[in-house]
Amino acid sequence: SLLPPSLAFLCLVATALRVPLAQAGPGAEEPPWCPYKVSGGEGAAGGRLCFRPPARGFQCSARACRAHRSPGGALVANVLANGSVLLQWGPPRPAAGLRGFALNCSWDGTYTRFPCDSVELGAACRDYLLAEAHGSVRYRLCLQPRYAPPRPAPPAQCVEFRLEPAAMRDIVVAMTAVGGSICVMLVFICLLVAYITENLMSPA
C-alpha cells in the first residue's frame, strides 16, 4: 500500500516547514496589524473592518513630501507627491484604558464645509493613509483617543493642509523640463559661437 509512504512524506514536509519558524525566535515576530473601520461615507467599504500594516520608520523627505503638524505637534500629516496623505501620531498619555482612536475628516467647499469618511482605528494604530485626497482642497483632520469609561476623552488633535492640484504639478514639471532644455541649448550655442570666433574667423 502507498498510504504509509505518503504519510511519511507529508510528515517530513511539515517538519521542514516548522524548522525555520522555530529558528526565527521571538524577535522575528511580524509587527501588529492596524485594524480600522471606515464609516459615515458612501463608499463600498463603509462599516467593514479592514487591516493594514504600519508604516514604521517613514520619514518625510523634502523633495517628495511636505509635513504639516497640529498645534500640539501630536498629529502629523505627510502630504506625498502622488496626492496621498500619511497621518502619523505617537502613543497617547496615559496609555492605560486606551480603546482606540476616532479620525474625523472634513474639507472646505465654496460656501460650506463638507464631512469626509470617519475612521475608527484600533489602539495599536499609529498611522493611517488617506489615499484619495483631492487637489486644491483644504482638509481638516482631527484625531481623538478613546478611553474606557469613566476616563473622559482628551481633546482632539487637528491638522489642516491644502493639496497642490495635480494639474499645477504637471505644469511646474513641464516648465522645469523646458527651462532646462533651453539652458542646455543656450550653453551649446555659446560654445559654438566661441569656437567659430576662435578658430574659423581669419584675423583682420
Side-chain angles (χ1 to χ4, degrees), residues 32-50:
W33 291 83
C34 171
Y36 69 95
K37 183 172 65 174
V38 181
S39 61
E42 299 178 356
R48 291 193 307 175
L49 182 62
C50 304

Side-chain angles (χ1 to χ4, degrees), residues 53-125:
R56 299 192 177 186
F58 175 82
Q59 294 183 354
C60 185
S61 61
R63 293 185 177 181
C65 176
R66 187 174 181 182
H68 301 267
R69 295 183 177 273
S70 62
L75 180 62
V76 181
N78 301 297
V79 181
L80 306 179
N82 58 1
S84 59
V85 181
L86 179 64
L87 298 173
Q88 291 179 311
W89 60 90
R93 296 180 180 179
L98 179 65
R99 283 189 170 181
F101 303 91
L103 179 64
N104 296 319
C105 171
S106 61
W107 57 277
D108 287 337
T110 305
Y111 300 103
T112 185
R113 178 178 289 271
F114 297 93
C116 312
D117 293 340
S118 299
V119 185
E120 298 178 6
L121 301 111
C125 299

